[in-house]
Amino acid sequence: MKQKLFLCGAAAFAALFLFSGMMLGRQYADQKQSAEAFTEIAALVQEEPEQPSAPPEDGTDATTEAAPAMTAYEKYAAVYEQNSDFVGWISIDGTNINYPVMQSTETDYYLKRAFDKSHSAYGTPYVQENCILGSSDNCIIYGHHMKDGSMFADLCRYESEDFYREHKIIRLDTLENYGEYEIVAVFKTVVYSQDGFQYYHFVDAENEAEFDGFIAQCKALALYDTGVSAEYGDQLITFSTCEYSRTNGRMVVVAKWIAPSPGEVDGDA
């Protein structure tokens, strides 16, 4: 009897060990596949044309005309051709965040889908379905917090004020414009609870008071004072990812648009 129990226990342990190994192998394969896929997508982004260097040293009058500025659409056209759900590209210098941003009319469509719409535990950063980039008062963009440090995991580094001081600007380009966003507030909250700040419900302000109320609540929850605020009429982007210190915790970074497109700078817009 004891021998039979021992054999059953050994078999169960072996099965558990095999299952754990399979899961780890699958996780590694998913991680590798996701990283390779995003590397291939990043390769589709066109490089900015090189501008002429200093004048010739031989004293001649030969000049080289500056290359025309590349439009945002030209830069990302090849990405858009691969998937028309592509609406922008997010990057933060000094972090792993450098990804396409998607949007679907279906709620949370890219939560578990890769850029090519296949299933992926990593998903793809995406805009909340009822937001309009470049138009809504506040657009919410979601991304997973993966344990390997990919996707939006580096947003949680903004818990450190020192990190914030060195990474105040978030780049978010769309097909229409290049864009830079200055961080207004960083805070933690919870979702699926009345105790949390439901930041994802604020998309378009009905009036100035509602906009100011949203900013005030962000500031009240802020982990530190950025010294930056926003006024009614500013365009906001709210970045959201999981934060594991609490059940259903979220790390939220709210930023405002500060950089005009090249066309606006040149007076062409």
Side-chain angles (χ1 to χ4, degrees):
M1 183 65 179
K2 289 183 178 180
Q3 184 177 8
K4 185 179 293 186
L5 289 174
F6 175 79
L7 291 175
C8 289
F13 178 81
L16 179 61
F17 182 81
L18 180 61
F19 176 76
S20 298
M22 290 174 61
M23 293 301 293
L24 286 173
R26 181 176 179 180
Q27 182 178 355
Y28 175 77
D30 287 348
Q31 177 183 336
K32 186 172 183 292
Q33 182 178 7
S34 176
E36 290 176 349
F38 283 119
T39 298
E40 291 176 1
I41 297 164
L44 296 174
V45 178
Q46 296 297 308
E47 296 290 337
E48 297 282 352
E50 291 188 10
Q51 299 301 323
S53 56
E57 296 180 358
D58 58 7
T60 64
D61 294 331
T63 58
T64 303
E65 291 186 3
M70 179 182 290
T71 67
Y73 182 81
E74 289 172 334
K75 185 172 183 176
Y76 298 105
V79 182
Y80 179 74
E81 289 173 3
Q82 295 294 314
N83 187 339
S84 59
D85 285 345
F86 170 78
V87 294
W89 194 281
I90 181 175
S91 60
I92 304 176
D93 289 342
T95 75
N96 291 324
I97 298 176
N98 184 35
Y99 296 107
V101 177
M102 316 300 288
Q103 187 172 31
S104 170
T105 56
E106 185 177 329
T107 303
D108 296 338
Y109 182 82
Y110 282 95
L111 182 68
K112 294 291 184 181
R113 284 183 173 86
F115 178 86
D116 64 2
K117 300 184 180 181
S118 63
H119 179 270
S120 170
Y122 285 71
T124 309
Y126 65 95
V127 180
Q128 189 167 287
E129 70 280 353
N130 62 335
C131 300
I132 303 174
L133 277 176
S135 177
S136 295
D137 291 330
N138 182 40
C139 285
I140 302 92
I141 300 180
Y142 301 95
H144 283 299
H145 178 177
M146 304 306 290
K147 293 181 179 179
D148 63 4
S150 64
M151 310 315 295
F152 276 11
D154 277 345
L155 282 185
C156 288
R157 297 173 68 183
Y158 279 107
E159 183 171 358
S160 164
E161 185 173 356
D162 289 340
F163 180 82
Y164 156 74
R165 296 296 173 192
E166 296 180 0
H167 303 84
K168 296 181 178 182
I169 303 299
I170 296 176
R171 179 73 179 258
L172 177 64
D173 298 335
T174 68
L175 290 168
E176 290 76 32
N177 289 318
Y178 297 109
E180 290 186 349
Y181 291 77
E182 184 178 22
I183 294 174
V184 174
V186 177
F187 61 87
K188 297 180 183 181
T189 188
V190 294
V191 293
Y192 315 127
S193 168
Q194 294 300 317
D195 297 330
F197 175 26
Q198 297 176 345
Y199 57 91
Y200 40 84
H201 286 169
F202 178 74
V203 175
D204 285 303
E206 293 187 2
N207 49 52
E208 185 174 353
E210 185 177 355
F211 185 94
D212 291 345
F214 175 77
I215 294 298
Q217 194 159 4
C218 291
K219 288 293 190 178
L221 292 172
L223 299 175
Y224 42 80
D225 183 11
T226 63
V228 179
S229 191
E231 299 177 352
Y232 187 52
D234 285 334
Q235 289 184 356
L236 305 176
I237 296 288
T238 297
F239 303 94
S240 174
T241 195
C242 289
E243 193 279 316
Y244 299 124
S245 68
R246 292 182 288 178
T247 302
N248 295 323
R250 295 292 185 271
M251 176 67 77
V252 183
V253 177
V254 179
K256 68 175 182 180
W257 186 80
I258 58 170
S261 69
E264 291 173 327
V265 171
D266 296 336
D268 297 329

